[in-house]
Amino acid sequence: MDKVAVLIPCYNEEKKVGKVIRDFKNALPEAVIYVYNNNSFDRTKEMAEKAGAIVRNEYMQGKGNVIRRMFRDIYIR
């Protein structure tokens, strides 16, 4: 069976990231959930980890940078 990965880019999403992760876990319990933190200055990383996601950091600001990083990481696996 193929693995399913859920890729979630985040920037300052501490209030909602936990719910998004829980909703994906309910819908796709076999999936591995990755949150890509794009220089958040709130508690996005901590909240995502608490909800059970694997958190990676992309330090180059911007959607394009974080999207390229997500696909580069997942493609290698």
Side-chain angles (χ1 to χ4, degrees):
M1 182 173 137
D2 292 331
K3 291 184 180 181
V4 175
V6 175
L7 309 175
I8 306 170
C10 285
Y11 175 71
N12 294 332
E13 298 290 343
E14 75 175 301
K15 293 181 181 177
K16 296 289 182 179
V17 71
K19 180 182 181 335
V20 170
I21 293 165
R22 287 188 297 276
D23 288 349
F24 272 117
K25 283 184 172 224
N26 287 334
L28 299 166
E30 74 284 357
V32 179
I33 300 174
Y34 295 88
V35 168
Y36 279 78
N37 182 32
N38 194 208
N39 287 327
S40 298
F41 54 82
D42 65 0
R43 295 177 40 224
T44 296
K45 179 180 178 181
E46 292 85 1
M47 301 306 287
E49 288 172 340
K50 184 178 177 181
I54 298 168
V55 179
R56 303 254 170 90
N57 293 301
E58 172 53 54
Y59 299 105
M60 293 180 61
Q61 194 70 39
K63 289 179 192 175
N65 291 318
V66 76
I67 296 295
R68 277 189 293 276
R69 168 73 189 277
M70 289 188 317
F71 285 109
R72 183 173 52 241
D73 284 358
I74 296 305
Y75 179 74
I76 291 170
R77 298 188 185 275

